[in-house]
Amino acid sequence: MRLLGFERLAEGGVKVKIHVSSPEDIWHLYHLLSVGDQLKTKTRRKVVRETSAGKSASDILTLVITIQVTEPAEYDPVGLVRVKGVNKTETQHIRMNQNHTHEVVYDPPQDVTLIKAQWDDLHEQHLQEACDEDARADTAAILMEPGLCHVCLVNASTCVAKAKIEVAVGKKRKGSTSREDSLARFFQQVLDAAVTHIRLDRVKLILIGSPGGHLREEFLTFVSAQAAKVDAPAAVRAFANAKSRMLLTQVSSGHKQAFNEALADKAVSEQMSQTKWAADAQQWDGFLRTMARTEDFGKCTYGAEPVFAAQAAQAVDTLFLCDETIRKAPTLHRKFFTGLSDDVRQSGGAVTMMAMQHAAGAQLQQMGGVAALLRLPMPQLEEMEVDPNFFNSPDVLAYTQAVRARRTESAGMGSPTTTSDRDSLASGRVPSFGPS
C-alpha cells in the first residue's frame, strides 16, 4: 500500500488517499473501513440507452463516486473488499443517496480515497504498518503434497496464498516412469511459481513443507538439477543459490492452513525470530506459558473488564489486542480500547496487535479479543464478576474522557496538514495525528 495523500479534517477526521495493488493492501483497507466512512473510488456501471433506430443498446461506463458505508465491509481472501452504502456523488447515472454495492480489487491497481470522521491511534498505527516497506512479506512458504502445492507469502499481518498448483501425479508402478514424469511436471510448476512470487531481495526465510517422506528433499534435488543446466534462467539459479535461507519442515498437507503446523516447529520459530510476526507469536506463547505455570498464578488475565482493573493498578506489562475485535467494535468500545492502549504505553507497557488470520490471533479472539500479561500477580481478577454493561459504566466513560484530556494536554489538538506532514508524505511516512 502506498500513501498518496493525508489531510486532517475538522473535528478529528481525516482524508486518506492510498494506492492498492496487492491482496495485502485490500486486507489493510478492510481493517481501516468502518460504518459511516466515505470511500471515493471508481466503479463500472451498465447504462442502457436507446439508439437512433429505436433499439436498446448498453454501454459499460467508468464513474467516480463516493460511497458512504452503511454496513460492515466484507472481506474475501481472494483479494477484494465488498462495500455497501449510499452514493454521495450525484451523477447522470447514479442518483444521490442511491444504494450501491462496490467491490474494491487490487487488479488492476487503483487509487482510493477514504474519508473518516473518527480517527485514532490504532487507525494511525495500522496505516503506518500498511505503508511501511519493512513490514512487507519477509517469509515465504512452499507447502506441498504429491500433486498439490501452495506458495504463500507471510508478513506481519497476513499469510497470502500467491499460487496454487495442482497436477495429477501417478502412483509408483514397477517398470513405469509415469510417476517420475508427472512429479517432474509438478516440481517444474512449483519452481516456476516460486521464482515468480518470491522476491529474494526481501524474503529472509523460505519454508518448504510436506508430509512424511522425501517430497521436499526431492523438490530441492530437482531445483539443483534445473539450476545446473547450461541454459537455466538466472531466476532459477538465484533461487537455487538461496538454499541458506531454505528450511525444510514437516506438515500434514499442501494446503495453506498447514503453515500453522510449520510454526510449531522449534527450528522454524528460531529462524523467524527476526520477523515481527514471529515476535508477536513468541509474546503470545509467553503469555500462554505464564498462564499455565502454577507459580505465576494471577499474572495473566483476559477480557475487557479484568484488563481494565489491572491497568487501573498500573500492572499491565503487555497488552494484547485482536485486530478483528477492534475493527468490529462500536465507537464507544473502540474509544475504550484506544484509551487503554495509550494508557498502557504511557505507563511503560507494550501493546501488541494480533492478526485474526494467524493462530495466535484466533486464540485471542476466543478469549474476548483482549488480554494482558501483568507485572505482578493479581489473583483477585480470576473471581471478578463480569458486568454485561461494562462499556456503558460511569467508570469507563470517565476513563476514556480522562485519557483523551491527558493526550490533548500533552500533544495539542489536530490542525490542518503542516509542512512537516507534507515532508512525511514525501518520505512515505504517515503524519503523526495527535489526539482523536
Side-chain angles (χ1 to χ4, degrees):
M1 180 178 287
R2 196 165 75 243
L3 182 65
L4 304 177
F6 186 96
E7 179 184 352
R8 298 181 182 134
L9 306 177
E11 299 182 359
V14 298
K15 179 191 288 187
V16 181
K17 185 176 182 180
I18 53 180
H19 179 77
V20 294
S21 59
S22 70
E24 181 189 349
D25 294 346
I26 295 296
W27 186 88
H28 286 299
L29 176 63
Y30 164 72
H31 280 276
L32 289 171
L33 275 170
S34 304
V35 173
D37 294 348
Q38 292 188 2
L39 184 70
K40 184 178 180 181
T41 182
K42 292 181 181 179
T43 187
R44 295 171 69 85
R45 194 84 167 183
K46 182 180 181 180
V47 178
V48 179
R49 57 181 174 82
E50 187 176 331
T51 66
S52 57
K55 297 182 179 181
S56 296
S58 62
D59 298 318
I60 303 296
L61 301 181
T62 300
L63 307 172
V64 177
I65 65 170
T66 301
I67 302 172
Q68 183 161 13
V69 183
T70 57
E71 299 181 23
E74 301 174 12
Y75 173 71
D76 192 318
V78 301
L80 69 85
V81 59
R82 188 173 296 105
V83 182
K84 297 181 180 179
V86 294
N87 175 42
K88 289 299 180 181
T89 303
E90 188 167 7
T91 69
Q92 180 182 354
H93 306 289
I94 305 179
R95 300 188 309 274
M96 182 72 78
N97 294 321
Q98 180 178 341
N99 289 331
H100 189 81
T101 299
H102 178 67
E103 293 181 348
V104 183
V105 298
Y106 69 93
D107 188 15
Q110 60 176 304
D111 299 341
V112 297
T113 300
L114 179 61
I115 302 172
K116 297 184 70 68
Q118 300 291 330
W119 182 260
D120 55 43
D121 284 350
L122 298 179
H123 285 129
E124 184 175 327
Q125 179 183 351
H126 199 110
L127 182 61
Q128 183 75 64
E129 292 178 355
C131 298
D132 185 359
E133 287 295 322
D134 292 337
R136 299 286 184 178
D138 53 11
T139 300
I142 302 175
L143 308 170
M144 65 174 71
E145 61 183 81
L148 174 66
C149 175
H150 279 83
V151 178
C152 305
L153 294 181
V154 185
N155 67 8
S157 305
T158 56
C159 175
V160 179
K162 301 297 291 183
K164 179 181 179 180
I165 299 95
E166 290 182 292
V167 174
V169 175
K171 296 182 178 180
K172 286 185 177 180
R173 289 187 175 90
K174 188 175 182 179
S176 173
T177 61
S178 61
R179 184 180 188 278
E180 288 73 15
D181 294 340
S182 57
L183 201 58
R185 289 196 303 272
F186 174 61
F187 284 157
Q188 184 61 58
Q189 292 188 32
V190 173
L191 178 58
D192 291 342
V195 299
T196 299
H197 297 289
I198 298 176
R199 293 192 56 175
L200 297 177
D201 58 334
R202 290 184 180 175
V203 170
K204 302 173 184 175
L205 176 64
I206 303 173
L207 301 177
I208 302 177
S210 67
H214 305 285
L215 188 66
R216 48 192 180 272
E217 289 85 357
E218 290 180 59
F219 173 68
L220 280 186
T221 301
F222 176 85
V223 170
S224 298
Q226 295 300 108
K229 293 181 178 179
V230 176
D231 58 347
V236 172
R237 291 180 179 176
F239 185 79
N241 290 335
K243 281 188 177 180
S244 60
R245 284 181 263 175
M246 297 180 187
L247 182 63
L248 304 184
T249 184
Q250 182 169 334
V251 294
S252 63
S253 72
H255 293 281
K256 174 185 170 184
Q257 291 78 5
F259 177 71
N260 289 332
E261 301 173 16
L263 295 176
D265 189 328
K266 185 177 180 181
V268 172
S269 179
E270 291 176 354
Q271 287 286 334
M272 293 181 67
S273 60
Q274 299 303 316
T275 67
K276 179 185 183 299
W277 196 100
D280 291 349
Q282 288 173 359
Q283 283 185 318
W284 180 248
D285 187 54
F287 172 87
L288 296 178
R289 288 199 306 269
T290 302
M291 190 164 59
R293 287 197 293 264
T294 305
E295 61 270 24
D296 288 326
F297 178 74
K299 290 194 69 175
C300 295
T301 190
Y302 55 90
E305 194 167 356
V307 171
F308 174 65
Q311 181 54 25
Q314 302 287 289
V316 174
D317 183 61
T318 303
L319 175 67
F320 298 94
L321 295 172
C322 177
D323 60 358
E324 192 72 1
T325 300
I326 301 301
R327 198 193 72 81
K328 292 185 175 180
T331 301
L332 184 62
H333 297 200
R334 187 180 179 96
K335 286 183 177 179
F336 167 77
F337 288 123
T338 302
L340 181 64
S341 61
D342 188 68
D343 197 17
V344 169
R345 289 191 184 98
Q346 289 197 6
S347 63
V351 179
T352 298
M353 187 71 71
M354 310 292 291
M356 175 66 176
Q357 288 191 333
H358 292 308
Q363 285 181 315
L364 178 58
Q365 177 76 349
Q366 293 174 355
M367 299 168 72
V370 56
L373 185 62
L374 309 183
R375 297 187 176 101
L376 50 91
M378 295 185 69
Q380 64 272 26
L381 298 178
E382 297 290 327
E383 300 180 3
M384 174 180 285
E385 294 185 6
V386 178
D387 181 2
N389 296 315
F390 167 70
F391 287 102
N392 295 310
S393 66
D395 287 345
V396 170
L397 295 176
Y399 173 74
T400 55
Q401 291 174 0
V403 171
R404 178 167 180 172
R406 185 167 66 245
R407 294 178 64 230
T408 301
E409 293 174 1
S410 62
M413 291 302 294
S415 58
T417 305
T418 63
T419 302
S420 61
D421 290 340
R422 288 190 289 271
D423 292 342
S424 295
L425 288 174
S427 63
R429 292 180 285 110
V430 178
S432 178
F433 185 76
S436 58

